[in-house]
Amino acid sequence: MGYAAGNYEVIVVGAGHAGCEAALAAARMGCRTLMVTINLDMVAFMPCNPSIGGPAKGHVVREVDALGGEMGRNIDKTFIQMRMLNTGKGPAVHALRAQADKFLYQHAMKETMEKEPNLTMLQGMVEELIVEDGQCVGVITKTGAEYRANAVVLTTGTYLRGKIIMGELMYESGPNNQQPSVRLSQNLKELGFDLVRFKTGTPPRVHKDSIDFSQTEIQPGDEKPKFFSYETKESDNEQLPCWLTYTSEETHKIITDNLHRAPMFSGVIEGTGPRYCPSIEDKIVRFSDKPKHQIFLEPEGKNTSEYYVQGFSTSMPEEVQLKMLRSVPGLQNVQMMRTGYAIEYDAVVPTQLWPSLETKRLPGLFTAGQINGTSGYEEAAGQGIMAGINAARKVQGKEPVVLDRSQGYIGVLIDDLVTKGTNEPYRLLTSRAEYRLLLRHDNADLRLTPLGHEIGLISDERYARFLDKKQKVEQEIERLKSTKVRPTEINPLLESIGSAPIQDGSNLLTILRRPEVTYAHIATISPSEIELDEEMQEQVEIQIKYAGYIEKQLIHVERLQKMEKKKIPESINYDDIQGLAIEARQKLSKIRPISIGQASRISGVTPADISILLVYLEHYNRVTAAGG
């Protein structure tokens, strides 16, 4: 028997990127929060890439920040390189990516959490959930300590029944040789949850002094870095370069000759791996026509000689990995400090969750991060903050917060998971967002800061600064619209930048719509009386240049929102609805969508099924209203 060890309002299990955001959100919303983790030295640890951001993922970090989360602030404190990617393309795909000093990143996050007044941190292994009257009301640790709470958030990452695989070698372990969590996985099965086996992998780490950088290409950071958090205005972080090299014919031959020893192909690995982050052996088999693949050499921190070999994820035997590495230009004499490995782990089938990330089977239990079948620190943080917010709101007797697909990439991510599920580790891509012109890196604050303030995670002071920015941008757009210029005033400028001269008077807004004209050009002709910082100027320019496209997407969103507003009562029995196709009936009963919008995105539910459902709902609501 266990012993009563303490009462809290929210308990978070796990202290990775999802757990940190969940615990901080719940604590900052006023809930007494306990975070339990196997090892307190692994808070916010980066077992894979020492980086944050990139396409779609960087957008999520901005959204987490706009809601009042921590990841953006933390990476801004601890980056060793910052680069804006895709700058040659439109603003919808601009993506910020930072190399982290992985050790500083951990320490800074742990320090932030230790200072949070409502948050208690505890080292312990959670082995069981406490269930009473069909509700999750706490957890029991390996030592028999029972902690009670009104809501529990599981963010166990790759630790659930974790198994490390390297060639023929296999052993139970969490990432980086940490203890795995075995009993909790069994407990979830006993409670009736469907689990699935996934795998992910990591590349070897090599010693900096054994790399011949003269055979590689330098990849420096941006001279004037941008930041993830809207609160960061400047940084004196020293930037370190990354380096680019390529696999060689010899690398491909070594891999091909040893495929019979690769767990992926010898049948040792049961779990499904991530399609968009394949191992090097998988890449060479799948893209056998490609003579070489990019390899990035990334420093893991300022005070370490370890370099991360990005693009070289592998589970080959140790001696084969060393041969593979030494066949890469620049790595001929490399010293391998840590071996790459694959890790298999249990994940919860995410269609068992409501869009609030609360489990349908066990009220009071929320899950976030890799346990939900995703890959990536950023995807984890996005789910973590939403699970923390909704756990706190459940405790406070408030309605859950659900972001829709037009509000943020976090909305796209969670809707994809709970509506469609995933049969492989899920990774966010910009192509998954149908409204990506609205969900840009630059405007996450305009989309989500009012919500963050309403929830209680954005301070009044920060919200006032946000409103000031929004107002100035609107005023400046209005000014450009009402400021007319004559051909004699503007044509010299237009001709100097290769833009066609105007014949008649025009307003500045129309001129700024031209692709080759920037806000800086306009400001030389007609400077604003309002002081606009760089972010505000960028916002003015994007809103003017893309107004037509943005309007079209907003019309689509309006249609979508009509569908989202048509709620489906939880008590509906789909077997009562005549005319529904069998597949639709099965899928609707399993997923239990909360709105017509969500129902329409379930694969196997056709427009005809939706029409039948709408007719039925109308009748159902009339009868219910009449008290029938």
Side-chain angles (χ1 to χ4, degrees), residues 50 76 115 134 156 194 249 266 284 349 430 442 478 541 576 603:
D76 287 350
K115 287 179 175 167
T156 51
D194 289 335
E249 261 180 55
S266 62
I284 277 157
V349 174
T430 48
D442 61 88
E478 213 37 61
E541 192 169 320
D576 293 346
S603 60

Side-chain angles (χ1 to χ4, degrees), residues 13 44 56 88 106 127 172 181 203 230 237 251 282 344 369 372 401 493 495 504 515 583 616 624:
V13 180
Q106 272 183 274
E127 296 209 318
E172 286 198 338
S181 171
Y230 286 93
N237 290 15
T251 321
D282 196 16
E344 276 191 349
N372 288 344
V401 172
L493 168 77
E495 281 162 16
D504 304 305
E583 186 185 0
Y616 179 83
T624 313

Side-chain angles (χ1 to χ4, degrees), residues 508-575:
L508 290 174
L509 185 139
T510 307
I511 287 163
L512 185 50
R513 281 210 173 126
R514 296 182 177 198
E516 63 279 8
V517 179
T518 65
Y519 179 81
H521 291 138
I522 296 290
T524 60
I525 297 287
S526 171
S528 174
E529 285 172 21
I530 318 164
E531 204 175 311
L532 299 169
D533 64 24
E534 217 173 293
E535 253 183 25
M536 294 174 194
Q537 292 175 27
E538 177 187 46
Q539 204 46 247
V540 169
E541 192 169 320
I542 289 172
Q543 286 190 29
I544 288 173
K545 281 195 190 304
Y546 293 89
Y549 300 107
I550 290 168
E551 249 154 67
K552 274 184 198 153
Q553 288 215 333
L554 287 170
I555 292 164
H556 278 282
V557 168
E558 235 169 89
R559 274 188 223 136
L560 169 88
Q561 278 168 344
K562 278 182 191 153
M563 303 269 276
E564 300 300 326
K565 281 189 181 120
K566 288 190 173 135
K567 297 295 178 199
I568 301 175
E570 219 181 297
S571 54
I572 269 195
N573 181 356
Y574 292 98
D575 291 332

Side-chain angles (χ1 to χ4, degrees), residues 247 255 278-284 293 295 311-314 324:
T247 56
I255 291 171
S279 67
I280 188 71
E281 46 268 37
D282 196 16
K283 271 192 247 184
I284 277 157
H293 293 276
I295 302 292
F312 214 82
S313 175
T314 180
M324 286 156 57

Side-chain angles (χ1 to χ4, degrees), residues 271-288:
T272 311
R275 186 189 326 184
Y276 300 102
C277 189
S279 67
I280 188 71
E281 46 268 37
D282 196 16
K283 271 192 247 184
I284 277 157
V285 170
R286 269 204 278 163
F287 308 107
S288 53

Side-chain angles (χ1 to χ4, degrees), residues 581-602:
I582 292 171
E583 186 185 0
R585 189 167 293 167
Q586 288 169 346
K587 294 269 180 78
L588 289 163
S589 302
K590 183 185 165 199
I591 289 167
R592 308 208 64 75
I594 59 171
S595 67
I596 289 291
Q598 191 190 353
S600 68
R601 293 189 293 275
I602 298 171

Side-chain angles (χ1 to χ4, degrees), residues 164-181:
I164 280 186
I165 303 166
M166 226 183 285
E168 298 82 5
L169 174 69
M170 274 190 295
Y171 56 93
E172 286 198 338
S173 173
N176 212 36
N177 286 333
Q178 294 298 304
Q179 288 183 68
S181 171

